[in-house]
Amino acid sequence: MTLEEKQKEIVEDFAIYDDWMEKYEYIIELGRDLPIIEEEKKTKDRIIEGCQSQVWLDSSFADGKMHFKADSDAIITKGIIGLLIRVLDDEKPEDIAKCDLHFIQEIGLHEHLSPTRSNGLASMVKKMKMSALKALTTNDSEQKA
Amino acid sequence: MDSTIKRKFSVREIREDFPALRQTIYGKNLIYFDNGATSQKPQYVLDAINQYYSKDNANIHRGVHHLSQKATSEYEASRKFIAAYLNAKSSDEIIFTKGTTDGINLVASSFGHLLNAGEEILISAMEHHSNIVPWQMLCERKGCVLKVIPINKKGEIIQDEYEKLLSSKTKLVAVTHISNSLGTINPIKEMIQKAHVVGAKVLIDGAQSIQHDKIDVKDLDCDFFVFSGHKVFGPTGIGVLYGKEALLDRMPPYQGGGDMILKVTFDKTTYNELPYKFEAGTPHIAGGICLGKALEYLNQFDIESIKKHETELADYAQDLLLTFEDMNIIGESKKKTSVVSFIVDGIHPFDMGTLLDKQGIAVRTGHHCTQPLMDFYKIPGTVRASFAFYNTKEEIDTFIAAVEKSIGMLK
């Protein structure tokens, strides 16, 4: 499935909810189902400090593709991280670096990605794209991005 | 507004005065419980803002024309009213600022100029960042020492420790009247007396108290009192620094520019008198006038009936919140204002705040600009509901139901 197809799929998943609370119930479920980063990897260098909630991000580059693991201390943030990873994980760095994450807007969660929201998500997307860019400029496919 | 005959305290009628309260958010009636961050504005203030910009707008203090004189006299009348409201000795003791933070920075810069290396400034462990960082910057600049008065688990300043910290080296005590995160009302009158025993001056951060209680600077005997207009039903971008005249006279100007000078030559500039010495540049004229209007609005009511209603709201909310399992109220002093800060075990404040928002309820979540205080309680933050006199028990019932629903979803 392409990055674009994955975004479309998420938008369809969300289309069945017309109530905000139902939408959030689904996001909370996503957050609960995703033990997405090992405890020992929640180190200081992986923290993205947000004013409201904390986010940890671990990026790596292998076999020409980017791999992301992330977590947050807030479950709603964690659910949204789950969505971002669903779209960006296992994709080529060039696709990640130039991608437009329009699904966030379409499912009505763009407020969470606004830089003023300070829950760490906007910084996380920026960091994901930056590590993809870094991977693009390095020849060593085994090197951590 | 005539303040001698007090207006009957009717929440229903008061709510009619605040247009912002009559709106729906995500299809739900707005419940505004973020008054600690900022208050909504009564029509009386909104009309005054409109009147100023549509009829009276002119620059003040220098114009000979009619409008300029009108704007000047309104601006200065507001200063006089505020001086009387705070029971200051004269309106020269009322400096218009951008807000509480600006007032503290003014004192840190200008009073700070009079301090020497090794002299001490005391703050408490529950201060807002605005009453921490300016003093840290001053200490870095002048080699002064910042000391922190500890608090107990209930969220009260430990008075014995405070007394121990006071010495002849203490030059300033800067404490909050009411904690924005905990709601604790500090015994500032006693604390001021104690500071004066060792000859220290006292700055009171009144950002959270001016809207809830009568402030009498003469009775308190504080040396400085700072507050923001927007938390007391007035505009943003305007605030007040009250300072004792003798002290303000000794302090050098804060910023240079127009209005704060008597005479400028390239060799030497002489400064204007109080309060203008501290008001460089064209001030926030509409803000200054309308802050006076906001206090006039508040002054229609007997402050005791406001206090009674707000305390009832906070007690009611706190009692209902405590019926939930794993509920922790942060800030358990017996002397509290209408702030209820809480955290539920296993639920991040951000998640709770997000779900409450989607149910039309505005609360604040996070560290409330008091990170050292959150570190003290070892929590990432709290959910804070802060009430104003226009809030109702019915709103609290809706809020409690929304908290219950959120806990159900997040647990």
Side-chain angles (χ1 to χ4, degrees), chain B residues 82-216:
Chain B
I82 295 166
Y85 187 84
L86 298 176
N87 198 24
K89 208 172 68 189
S90 95
S91 57
D92 291 348
E93 298 183 318
I94 304 300
I95 315 290
F96 281 120
T97 64
K98 286 189 282 180
T100 305
T101 302
D102 190 39
I104 296 173
N105 276 284
L106 190 161
V107 175
S109 168
S110 178
F111 177 77
H113 192 76
L114 308 174
L115 300 186
N116 301 302
E119 294 181 330
E120 294 175 359
I121 296 156
L122 297 191
I123 59 171
S124 86
M126 66 172 80
E127 298 308 316
H128 188 282
H129 294 163
S130 294
N131 201 23
I132 301 175
V133 184
W135 308 118
Q136 287 175 328
M137 290 162 68
L138 167 64
C139 287
E140 221 161 88
R141 202 166 66 239
K142 298 280 288 194
C144 299
V145 182
L146 187 65
K147 296 209 163 171
V148 182
I149 317 160
I151 59 168
N152 62 26
K153 278 279 167 197
K154 279 191 201 164
E156 297 161 329
I157 292 175
I158 305 172
Q159 291 298 319
D160 285 352
E161 297 294 327
Y162 171 50
E163 286 170 30
K164 275 187 222 161
L165 284 169
L166 283 170
S167 76
S168 58
K169 280 195 235 162
T170 316
K171 293 299 157 198
L172 184 78
V173 177
V175 284
T176 188
H177 190 176
I178 293 179
S179 156
N180 71 312
S181 296
L182 308 170
T184 312
I185 305 171
N186 289 317
I188 51 164
K189 194 172 171 184
E190 292 74 23
M191 290 182 73
I192 293 164
Q193 283 170 349
K194 287 174 190 171
H196 286 168
V197 167
V198 298
K201 304 297 180 199
V202 183
L203 176 141
I204 300 297
D205 172 353
Q208 297 292 336
S209 65
I210 185 87
Q211 64 279 49
H212 298 299
D213 209 345
K214 181 79 193 129
I215 303 299
D216 182 330

Side-chain angles (χ1 to χ4, degrees), chain B residues 19-131:
Chain B
L21 298 176
R22 298 191 291 271
Q23 61 182 309
T24 55
I25 304 287
Y26 310 115
K28 310 254 176 10
N29 286 327
L30 166 68
I31 294 183
Y32 188 76
F33 286 170
D34 195 17
N35 295 286
T38 196
S39 61
Q40 299 302 341
K41 319 302 169 200
Q43 193 62 51
Y44 185 65
V45 170
L46 299 174
D47 287 345
I49 295 171
N50 193 27
Q51 163 74 22
Y52 174 76
Y53 283 117
S54 51
K55 292 275 170 63
D56 305 335
N57 176 53
N59 210 335
I60 55 172
H61 292 151
R62 285 171 300 271
V64 290
H65 60 83
H66 174 79
L67 273 192
S68 173
Q69 287 180 8
K70 191 172 179 209
T72 304
S73 73
E74 292 215 13
Y75 189 70
E76 292 307 325
S78 178
R79 195 195 304 273
K80 274 207 181 83
F81 180 82
I82 295 166
Y85 187 84
L86 298 176
N87 198 24
K89 208 172 68 189
S90 95
S91 57
D92 291 348
E93 298 183 318
I94 304 300
I95 315 290
F96 281 120
T97 64
K98 286 189 282 180
T100 305
T101 302
D102 190 39
I104 296 173
N105 276 284
L106 190 161
V107 175
S109 168
S110 178
F111 177 77
H113 192 76
L114 308 174
L115 300 186
N116 301 302
E119 294 181 330
E120 294 175 359
I121 296 156
L122 297 191
I123 59 171
S124 86
M126 66 172 80
E127 298 308 316
H128 188 282
H129 294 163
S130 294
N131 201 23

Side-chain angles (χ1 to χ4, degrees), chain A residues 119-132:
Chain A
N119 55 5
L121 279 172
S123 312
M124 185 174 117
V125 171
K126 183 176 162 201
K127 212 165 175 187
M128 287 167 119
K129 289 195 169 194
M130 287 299 178
S131 48

Side-chain angles (χ1 to χ4, degrees), chain A residues 25-84:
Chain A
E25 209 145 357
Y26 178 56
I27 293 166
I28 291 163
E29 255 175 62
L30 290 175
R32 249 190 256 289
D33 293 346
L34 287 168
I36 34 188
I37 194 167
E38 298 85 351
E39 278 306 311
E40 64 268 23
K41 283 200 169 169
K42 287 187 184 173
T43 52
K44 268 202 167 155
D45 57 315
R46 291 188 179 90
I47 283 186
I48 299 166
E49 297 263 8
C51 196
Q52 295 276 349
S53 58
Q54 258 181 1
V55 172
W56 293 266
L57 175 72
D58 181 46
S59 338
S60 57
F61 179 56
D63 307 324
K65 291 194 171 166
M66 292 301 298
H67 299 281
F68 299 105
K69 285 182 174 183
D71 202 349
S72 171
D73 52 354
I75 192 112
I76 291 174
T77 308
K78 204 169 157 180
I80 300 169
I81 288 174
L83 293 172
L84 287 170

